[in-house]
Amino acid sequence: MTTAPAALPPTGGSPGGGGAPRRAPAPAPGPDERIAHVVAEALGSARTVLDSDSLPGLGTARLPFGDQSFDAATMLCNAPRVSDALTRLRELRRVTRGPVVVLAVDPSRVRGFWLDRYAPAVLAVQARRHPPVAHLVAALGGSASVRRVPIPLDCTDTFDEAYYGRPEMLLDPAARRPGSAWSFVDDRAREAFDTTLRRELRSGEWDERFGHLRRLPAYEGSLVIVRAAP
């Protein structure tokens, strides 16, 4: 049995000529508190935490702090240049006496997402722009653990996998805009994505292949948390 797809965002006119289609209600966009809680748990009882994302100059070779100045540190690993991310991680290790917690994308898992069927060039770009997890672990040194982060079905964040069970939302260019990988592909690739996904949602083919994701409470994709202790 084919599950009926939800109404699609319009391409400029309403499909079928029957008025504007309904849009599925969406939570307010922003950092998802449940993902933030995973990071907070990994920090444990640390009292002084350095948030790397609050510091300017990712490529700066040396942070303006002494060795082991903080109980813990965090970083969102979304640097446009791999070398910059690894430099920052080495510095976080130097100035931290406890765990360094990194929320990152595992590039080896990026293309396992259903979006690869419709926008393979986008996911290829995304995979290239993230350092391998092994490189993160090596930069941090010490004892490291890596685990996948569950992405909730109603995730409020705005990366592509946040819409794993709500494919219609990715037809909205505003939903794709925060994903920088989309800016590295041409209009032809974006149009092909829109046309193909829209067609397969209307025909029910997307639901035949991936419809179980609409009911999956959480998705474990390429989002991982790396925790390294000295």
Side-chain angles (χ1 to χ4, degrees):
M1 180 181 294
T2 301
T3 305
L8 310 184
T11 56
S14 58
R22 293 180 298 104
R23 290 175 184 263
D32 193 285
E33 293 183 358
R34 292 155 293 187
I35 294 176
H37 181 69
V38 174
V39 175
E41 280 189 327
L43 291 170
S45 59
R47 299 183 64 182
T48 57
V49 178
L50 175 61
D51 179 1
S52 173
D53 302 306
S54 68
L55 301 174
L58 183 60
T60 302
R62 190 170 182 86
L63 293 174
F65 308 109
D67 294 357
Q68 299 186 354
S69 296
F70 300 91
D71 290 338
T74 66
M75 177 174 167
L76 175 62
C77 191
N78 59 356
R81 295 192 299 273
V82 169
S83 61
D84 287 349
L86 299 180
T87 297
R88 175 56 58 88
L89 288 177
R90 295 185 189 100
E91 275 296 283
L92 292 180
R93 176 73 284 155
R94 179 183 67 79
V95 303
T96 305
R97 52 184 170 268
V100 177
V101 176
V102 183
L103 190 63
V105 168
D106 181 346
S108 71
R109 296 183 181 275
V110 165
R111 302 197 70 169
F113 183 40
W114 61 257
L115 186 59
D116 194 56
R117 175 175 171 83
Y118 305 95
V122 171
L123 294 194
V125 168
Q126 185 174 337
R128 289 196 301 270
R129 285 168 58 82
H130 290 275
V133 170
H135 292 188
L136 304 181
V137 170
L140 289 168
S143 175
S145 63
V146 181
R147 65 186 179 101
R148 295 162 83 175
V149 178
I151 302 166
L153 181 58
D154 59 347
C155 183
T156 61
D157 219 318
T158 53
F159 54 96
D160 291 334
E161 288 182 359
Y163 306 113
Y164 72 88
R166 299 170 292 165
E168 293 81 7
M169 295 188 71
L170 276 177
L171 292 172
D172 184 349
R176 301 194 300 267
R177 194 169 297 125
S180 61
W182 288 94
S183 67
F184 285 84
V185 299
D186 58 22
D187 289 342
R188 185 187 308 177
R190 287 189 288 269
E191 290 167 4
F193 155 77
D194 185 278
T195 299
T196 306
L197 178 57
R198 196 177 293 273
R199 181 180 67 244
E200 292 196 359
L201 284 168
R202 285 180 174 141
S203 70
E205 186 169 351
W206 188 94
D207 282 275
E208 288 180 355
R209 292 176 179 273
F210 310 110
H212 64 283
L213 296 175
R214 295 188 187 275
R215 303 176 297 277
L216 189 68
Y219 174 75
E220 293 188 356
S222 62
L223 189 66
V224 298
I225 194 163
V226 181
R227 185 184 189 274

